[in-house]
Each structure stands twice: as C-alpha cells, then as structure tokens.
Amino acid sequence: MAERTRNGGSDGGTHTLGLLYPPAGRNRDYTTMQLAFVGGIAEAATAYGYDLLLSPGVSHDDPSFLRMVGERQVDGVIVMEIRREDDRVEQLAEAGFPFVAIGRNHRADVAGWVDLDFAGLAGRCVQHLADLGHSRIAFVNRSERLFNSGYGFARLGDEGYTEAMKKLLLTPRAYLCGDDLASGEEVVERILRDDPATTSLVTQNEAALEGVYRGLIRHGQSVPRDFSVVGVAASPWAEQVTPPLTAAEIPAKEMSRVAVELMMRRLRSPGSPPRHVLLKPLITLRASTGRCRAVPGSEPEPEFPDFDLDF
C-alpha cells in the first residue's frame, strides 16, 4: 500500500476538504440547519475518500482561514454563508486556490456554486398567499446582523418579497428577526402592532418558526383559520411544527452533495469551466395556509346610496 506524504495523500494531496462556514446563531453557535449542511457535506466527502476540516472563519484574516489555506491543510474549500462582498471569496479567487460555494455573489462566478433561488421562492410564497385572498402579507427575514453583513440569502429573499408585493400593488412590510424562538415571538408582536389587520406572513427564518407560531397563539390567532404562514424551510423543520408549514424545501443534503461533486470536478479538471446550479424547489402544500378571512376593521365601510323619500 502506498504511504501518504506529509500532506496526507499518496498523490501529494491531503485528501481533506475545507468548509468555511461561520455560525449564524445568536450566540455565535451553529443553527440546526447549519449542522444539517455540515453533516451532509461530511457524508458526501466521505464517499469520495475525503475528510472534512471545518473553519468558522468569517473573513480572510481569520486565523483558521489562514491556517487552512495558507498552510495548504486542504485540497479545496467549500465556502458557505456567502456575503455580497465577501473577502474570503476574493482571497481564494486571487490566490487561485480551488474552491466552490454554496451560495453566490458576483465574484463566486469564477468558481462553481450551488444555490437556491431565494428571490424567486420568496416571490412565489407571496403569490401563494395572494391567491388565497391575502393582501396584508408580512415578511420575516433573518437577523439584523446577518442582513447588515450582506448575506446573500437574506438580501435576495427581501428583494424577491418586495418585488412580488409591489407587482401585486400591495404594501411590503419586512422584518428582521433573530434565529431563535424568543425572536420569533417578538417579531409577531411587532407585526401585529404595526398592522393589526395582517393576516399572513412569509418567512425564511425556520429557527424562529416555533416562536412565530407561539406569538400568534398568544395573540389569539389560529393557524390557518385566522392567520396563514408560508416559508422557505427544510422538510424536517416544516413538518415538526403544528400545523405543518406550507413551504419551499431547502434541500440541505442535495445541495451538500452537489457542492462536493462540484469540488471533485474542480480538483480533477482544474481547467474546466465552472458549473453553476440554481435550485428552484416547488412549494409543498401542508396545513399552515388557508383562505383569508376578513379581519374586523380591515374592510372599508359600505357606502349606501342617498334616497329622496317623500312621505
């Protein structure tokens, strides 16, 4: 059997892939969805005989990023939580270091990527609610920290929601929300305080979903009788709430598999053109959406014609 070199592989490589994945939780921990991606990528990499090295690096000068790339601890890097302006991507592209991305920005086009059509999915969620007669539709996005740092999915979702609302001549009302239960309850408080006639919302914050449901219950809103909820979420989380969430799927395992395949293609054929995969999953109808019921005070007062009556 061939012995591995100092870099780990008999062919001079490390047989290790790097995963640049900053934690997105409020306490800088990994959310349940993020852990699903970590597991999916590790499983897919193992099938090709590769190990996985995880770095929480959020910037190119993070010590773990510098060790991973500068010391060539890995053969290639999968980058996640892509921001609109992402110095990690810039650094990898300029250095010619093999990488692919889950997510995208203008610079990621130099490499392969797989992503969800977050803008399109948010728009289709709005249209689904509008088809059910809803016109007061709020949007629950990710945290202020993630949005302000330029995370692509948060910005794209907001753009897709806003564009769809304007196209329907409806007033968009978007809310940033932390990735936890308490923030979900709090965002419902803000939504109903701003417009008590709101009858539905779109969310791409599954970590806050249970809190959203609790907040609605606390305000006497039954889902879907009084209030409809639709979102972008992986099926395990969409199905574990009551009632189950009507949602466009986040196929974490499929996206992880595609990312690793793109990485293998990059390593085996460095000169081949980068491949880009944009997934557009359908909305799975469950039990959290229903036809809009009139909310007291939300309908205009009826106008009666004037009559001249002679007695």
Side-chain angles (χ1 to χ4, degrees), residues 49-68:
Y50 277 76
D51 297 325
L52 187 68
L53 179 61
L54 175 64
S55 164
V58 71
S59 67
H60 75 286
D61 56 2
D62 185 278
S64 64
F65 177 88
L66 294 173
R67 287 193 300 271
M68 179 183 287

Side-chain angles (χ1 to χ4, degrees), residues 216-271:
L216 290 169
I217 291 171
R218 195 173 65 200
H219 282 82
Q221 302 288 313
S222 174
V223 177
R225 185 192 67 194
D226 307 310
F227 202 102
S228 288
V229 182
V230 62
V232 180
S235 57
W237 290 270
E239 292 169 356
Q240 73 182 6
V241 292
T242 304
L245 181 72
T246 292
E249 170 80 359
I250 296 181
K253 192 166 185 177
E254 173 70 7
M255 294 177 74
S256 299
R257 180 188 63 78
V258 171
V260 172
E261 288 180 355
L262 294 176
M263 188 76 258
M264 293 298 105
R265 184 172 184 262
R266 173 71 174 83
L267 293 174
R268 292 169 180 171
S269 305

Side-chain angles (χ1 to χ4, degrees), residues 84-263:
R84 289 291 178 89
E85 300 296 331
D86 197 311
D87 58 11
R88 301 170 303 164
V89 172
E90 294 284 348
Q91 182 71 19
L92 289 166
E94 290 174 9
F97 199 94
F99 79 98
V100 300
I102 297 181
R104 68 196 191 278
N105 65 12
H106 68 285
R107 197 69 169 103
D109 281 345
V110 302
W113 54 253
V114 56
D115 200 6
L116 284 184
D117 181 15
F118 282 103
L121 293 178
R124 291 211 295 274
C125 287
V126 168
Q127 187 62 58
H128 171 65
L129 293 170
D131 290 343
L132 292 171
H134 295 276
S135 59
R136 277 12 204 244
I137 305 169
F139 180 59
V140 176
N141 204 336
R142 300 294 294 278
S143 71
E144 182 177 5
R145 176 175 65 84
L146 292 182
F147 186 85
N148 289 342
S149 67
Y151 273 50
F153 60 85
R155 295 296 183 91
L156 289 168
D158 180 78
E159 291 168 8
Y161 161 79
T162 302
E163 181 180 346
M165 291 290 285
K166 290 182 176 179
K167 190 175 295 184
L168 293 167
L169 303 180
L170 302 176
T171 302
R173 287 188 298 112
Y175 295 81
L176 299 175
C177 175
D179 297 318
D180 59 88
L181 188 149
S183 295
E185 291 191 63
E186 189 270 338
V187 78
V188 169
E189 183 78 31
R190 284 188 282 147
I191 289 170
L192 295 179
R193 181 177 64 241
D194 292 347
D195 183 5
T198 304
T199 61
S200 61
L201 65 82
V202 176
T203 181
Q204 58 181 27
N205 189 332
E206 61 187 4
L209 181 59
E210 186 178 349
V212 167
Y213 271 41
R214 289 189 184 186
L216 290 169
I217 291 171
R218 195 173 65 200
H219 282 82
Q221 302 288 313
S222 174
V223 177
R225 185 192 67 194
D226 307 310
F227 202 102
S228 288
V229 182
V230 62
V232 180
S235 57
W237 290 270
E239 292 169 356
Q240 73 182 6
V241 292
T242 304
L245 181 72
T246 292
E249 170 80 359
I250 296 181
K253 192 166 185 177
E254 173 70 7
M255 294 177 74
S256 299
R257 180 188 63 78
V258 171
V260 172
E261 288 180 355
L262 294 176
M263 188 76 258

